[in-house]
């Protein structure tokens, strides 16, 4: 059976969805949940087990990943918060929800514990099934095992310093400790040169990371501005369409145009959400906030000062995402539209 991580990766859509879609409650369901999931409702399972494959698949082409029956995975159950396992191991982990699960409770992260035995022996639960994963052996032969051993032995091994100091989190400070503990003058000179070169590399890397963070903030600010402009234009077309319809005119062309515009807006909103997620994953709040000041100057010098409020809103969305681990494109869009 798949591990819990493998199962959830597949359930969320894996490489077939964007970074922000992967973080959503479920994979994208443009036609409504009832077209993809059997859940407890008269418009869905109606309280009965259904045949596999009758509904639309998820973005990876997998049917019934969510709903219909809970699926047992390989891992034993543990309490879990933000992918961190806590406490003792328990029964089986079951994932995905079943035909008795409410629509509101269906989500990719849904998990529960199933005890394998009760007072009557092995349990048989009608709402639980399983899904198999095709895998290959990690060590298929003695030759592969020997190759793994040799690769392990070839890894560099460092002797612990006997200076009475524990390893430090700051590599430059650790190098300084080594330099002080070294009695060989030639080695001390060489280590000092290495320390200077390493400090230079760290500084260059910090500069590049700052530039990358600033570029993503600039991109997200531009997207925010465009989303707001697109929404204004869409509203204008909608008003024109309503006026013409009231006048008895054919509005088929305008309906097609509205559908196209809304599709573009939703695509840009998803792109904005993806950028927020990427910034949150790649840069800490300190880096993001440091770049806001530089970006403000760049906007002012280029005559794009109106983008600064959008950049600061992006930083706020990044911080909110980092705290909640939740992608909220609709709420973020409302924030963008609410800017003065």
């Amino acid at each position: 059976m798949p591990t819990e991580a493998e199962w959830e990766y597949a359930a969320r859509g894996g490489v077939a969805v964007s970074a922000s879609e992967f973080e959503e409650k479920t994979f994208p369901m443009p036609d409504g949940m009832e077209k993809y999931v059997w859940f407890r409702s008269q418009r869905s399972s109606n309280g009965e087990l259904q045949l596999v494959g009758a509904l639309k698949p998820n973005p990876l082409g997998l049917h019934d990943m969510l709903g219909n029956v809970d699926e047992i995975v390989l891992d034993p159950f543990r309490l879990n918060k933000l992918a961190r396992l806590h406490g003792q191991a328990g029964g089986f982990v079951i994932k995905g929800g079943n035909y008795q699960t409410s629509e509101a409770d269906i989500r990719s992260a849904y998990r529960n514990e199933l005890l394998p035995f009760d007072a009557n022996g092995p349990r048989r639960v009608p709402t639980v099934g399983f899904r198999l994963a095709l895998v290959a052996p990690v060590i298929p032969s003695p030759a592969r095992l020997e190759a793994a051993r040799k690769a392990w032995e070839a890894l560099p091994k460092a002797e612990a310093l006997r200076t009475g100091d524990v390893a430090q989190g700051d590599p430059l400070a650790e190098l300084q400790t080594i330099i002080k503990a070294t009695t060989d003058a030639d080695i001390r000179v060489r280590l000092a040169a290495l320390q200077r070169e390493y400090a230079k590399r760290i500084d260059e890397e910090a500069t590049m990371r700052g530039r990358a963070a600033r570029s993503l903030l600039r991109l997200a600010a531009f997207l925010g501005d465009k989303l707001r402009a697109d929404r204004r234009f869409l509203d204008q077309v909608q008003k024109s369409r309503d006026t013409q319809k009231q006048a008895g005119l054919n509005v088929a062309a305008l309906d097609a145009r509205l559908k196209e515009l809304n599709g573009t807006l939703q695509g840009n909103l998803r792109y904005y959400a993806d950028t927020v997620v990427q910034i949150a994953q790649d840069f800490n709040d300190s880096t993001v906030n440091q770049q806001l000041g530089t970006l403000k100057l760049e906007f002012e010098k280029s005559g794009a000062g109106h983008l600064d409020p959008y950049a600061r809103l992006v930083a706020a969305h990044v911080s909110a995402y980092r705290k909640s681990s939740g992608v909220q494109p609709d709420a973020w869009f409302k924030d963008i539209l609410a800017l003065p």
Side-chain angles (χ1 to χ4, degrees):
M1 287 182 285
T3 65
E4 184 172 4
E6 289 171 334
W7 187 97
E8 193 163 327
Y9 179 83
R12 289 180 178 276
V15 295
V17 299
S18 69
S20 60
E21 287 172 330
F22 188 86
E23 299 285 343
E24 291 278 14
K25 181 180 177 181
T26 67
F27 60 83
M29 300 181 184
D31 301 318
M33 184 176 288
E34 64 273 11
K35 299 294 185 180
Y36 301 84
V37 180
W38 295 114
F39 53 89
R40 188 184 70 227
S41 173
Q42 290 184 347
R43 59 188 176 85
S44 184
S45 73
N46 201 26
E48 296 180 356
L49 182 65
Q50 304 293 326
L51 293 175
V52 173
L55 298 180
K56 293 184 176 183
N58 81 347
L60 286 177
L62 300 172
H63 292 269
D64 299 285
M65 286 297 291
L66 304 180
N68 209 12
V69 293
D70 292 290
E71 298 182 12
I72 301 173
V73 296
L74 189 61
D75 312 61
F77 184 88
R78 289 173 183 259
L79 296 178
N80 182 317
K81 183 176 182 181
L82 297 179
R84 296 182 180 180
L85 300 178
H86 302 272
Q88 67 187 46
F92 293 122
V93 174
I94 53 176
K95 300 281 293 181
N98 58 65
Y99 61 88
Q100 295 285 18
T101 304
S102 69
E103 181 178 7
D105 287 335
I106 292 291
R107 60 189 186 278
S108 299
Y110 178 93
R111 64 199 299 270
N112 211 335
E113 180 177 14
L114 175 70
L115 295 178
F117 298 93
D118 58 20
N120 299 318
R123 296 188 67 193
R124 298 289 184 266
V125 184
T127 57
V128 175
F130 62 91
R131 184 184 301 261
L132 299 178
L134 181 62
V135 299
V138 175
I139 304 177
S141 67
R144 175 68 179 272
L145 178 58
E146 184 61 25
R149 278 204 189 99
K150 289 181 178 178
W152 172 260
E153 292 171 356
L155 291 174
K157 297 177 175 60
E159 291 292 331
L161 291 175
R162 299 292 186 249
T163 61
D165 294 329
V166 296
Q168 304 178 44
D170 183 350
L172 291 176
E174 179 67 7
L175 270 173
Q176 186 61 38
T177 300
I178 297 173
I179 291 170
K180 290 180 179 180
T182 302
T183 57
D184 189 304
D186 182 54
I187 293 179
R188 189 182 297 115
V189 170
R190 293 173 66 182
L191 285 173
L194 175 63
Q195 185 184 39
R196 289 192 296 273
E197 180 63 24
Y198 190 40
K200 177 183 175 183
R201 297 286 180 88
I202 290 176
D203 184 63
E204 290 174 348
E205 181 180 350
T207 300
M208 288 188 291
R209 283 183 60 78
R211 190 180 302 125
R214 195 160 64 251
S215 295
L216 285 173
L217 285 168
R218 185 187 300 110
L219 170 62
F222 169 79
L223 287 170
D225 185 41
K226 179 165 176 53
L227 281 167
R228 189 168 178 172
D230 287 350
R231 178 57 183 268
R232 284 199 298 265
F233 183 62
L234 192 151
D235 289 345
Q236 291 172 2
V237 175
Q238 181 69 54
K239 184 180 293 185
S240 176
R241 181 261 184 204
D242 293 344
T243 300
Q244 292 190 32
K245 184 173 179 60
Q246 290 176 359
L249 300 176
N250 189 326
V251 294
L254 284 175
D255 284 340
R257 179 61 172 155
L258 282 169
K259 183 177 181 181
E260 177 187 355
L261 290 173
N262 191 60
T264 299
L265 187 146
Q266 291 301 320
N268 287 334
L269 180 57
R270 179 56 60 186
Y271 191 15
Y272 177 89
D274 289 344
T275 306
V276 168
V277 171
Q278 184 177 352
I279 295 171
Q281 291 176 343
D282 292 349
F283 307 100
N284 58 32
D285 284 337
S286 176
T287 299
V288 171
N289 292 330
Q290 285 174 2
Q291 297 307 315
L292 284 176
T294 304
L295 193 57
K296 181 178 181 179
L297 293 175
E298 290 183 0
F299 283 149
E300 290 174 352
K301 289 181 179 180
S302 62
H306 67 286
L307 291 178
D308 182 61
Y310 292 97
R312 297 186 180 279
L313 183 59
V314 172
H317 289 161
V318 167
S319 181
Y321 169 79
R322 202 191 311 281
K323 293 175 182 176
S324 67
S325 295
V327 181
Q328 303 178 39
D330 293 336
W332 295 344
F333 190 29
K334 288 181 180 179
D335 292 340
I336 290 170
L337 296 178
L339 283 175

